[in-house]
Amino acid sequence: MDGFYGVCLHFTINGQPVEVEVDTRTSLLDLLREQLQLFGTKKGCDQGACGACTVLVDGERINSCLALAVQYQNRAVVTIEGLGGQGSRHPLQEAFVAKDGFQCGYCTPGQICSALGMVDEVARGVPSRVTEDLAAEMMMLNHDEIRERMSGNLCRCGAYNGIVDAIRETFADGRAEHPKREVA
Ligand code: FES
Ligand code: FES
């Protein structure tokens, strides 16, 4: 790489203010992993095709490999390390364990961040390709909706059934309530 086109950027990452010198050509994924040593977010394809690098930015899921870090300055980024509490896991992480939602675990941080963003999309009434009633007051987070909405997150181990079960269990039993969401 020729030269260094550095700028000083500010972020909130997992609730903590971060100030860091970043080359303007650096992806958000590389900033997280290579400069901030947040290795939970994974690099799979590095071209937006697998979802392993999914993080939340102001609550919305994005593929961090496709994002330049400079695009997200002054934004709130949450990675897998920022979920749950001190010494405790997020209910969705617990459900992935209980429902065998992973084997090697490489895709799992992206799956979990993506699922959290996905649930908020449902709550905001964002339809998917399989949503039947676009005018419904409340969208259902059923099996087909979860599969469709999580289709951008690939799992080479094929743990899809456990992943869907974990998401359904987490958002069906009241541990992660959202007022506009309903689970069938
Ligand atoms: S590493 Fe970003 S989508 Fe695959
Ligand atoms: S658990 Fe191995 S790739 Fe998903």
Side-chain angles (χ1 to χ4, degrees):
M1 184 181 289
D2 293 331
F4 177 77
Y5 304 98
V7 288
C8 186
L9 301 178
H10 302 259
F11 303 90
T12 301
I13 297 182
N14 297 332
Q16 300 296 318
V18 171
E19 184 176 307
V20 61
E21 182 94 357
V22 180
D23 188 298
T24 52
R25 300 164 292 184
T26 303
S27 70
L28 181 59
L29 175 60
D30 285 344
L31 170 67
L32 292 169
R33 287 182 57 84
E34 294 178 17
Q35 286 186 248
L36 302 178
Q37 280 74 58
L38 290 169
F39 299 118
T41 306
K42 297 295 186 281
K43 180 180 284 189
C45 63
D46 207 21
Q47 56 182 2
C50 74
C53 63
T54 306
V55 299
L56 297 166
V57 177
D58 294 334
E60 293 189 15
R61 54 181 174 169
I62 66 163
N63 287 336
S64 60
C65 70
L66 292 183
L68 288 174
V70 291
Q71 293 174 268
Y72 292 94
Q73 60 179 318
N74 300 320
R75 307 278 295 275
V77 179
V78 173
T79 69
I80 193 73
E81 291 92 343
L83 301 179
Q86 284 228 319
S88 64
R89 290 187 288 235
H90 186 281
L92 184 55
Q93 292 173 298
E94 297 285 3
F96 265 68
V97 174
K99 295 292 182 181
D100 288 333
F102 60 91
Q103 289 183 34
C104 75
Y106 197 82
C107 72
T108 312
Q111 300 278 2
I112 289 174
C113 287
S114 184
L116 294 173
M118 179 273 292
V119 167
D120 266 0
E121 288 164 17
V122 173
R124 284 187 276 114
V126 179
S128 79
R129 189 182 64 82
V130 299
T131 303
E132 288 179 3
D133 183 359
L134 299 181
E137 283 276 304
M138 184 177 289
M139 283 187 177
M140 305 293 283
L141 190 58
N142 58 31
H143 183 267
D144 289 346
E145 283 280 5
I146 292 172
R147 285 183 64 89
E148 169 63 20
R149 291 172 185 272
M150 293 297 294
S151 61
N153 288 83
L154 306 184
C155 175
R156 293 296 299 270
C157 297
Y160 295 112
N161 288 338
I163 291 168
V164 172
D165 286 351
I167 295 170
R168 291 186 76 182
E169 179 185 271
T170 303
F171 295 102
D173 70 2
R175 285 184 297 168
E177 269 302 325
H178 194 294
K180 291 188 196 163
R181 191 200 52 253
E182 190 168 300
V183 179

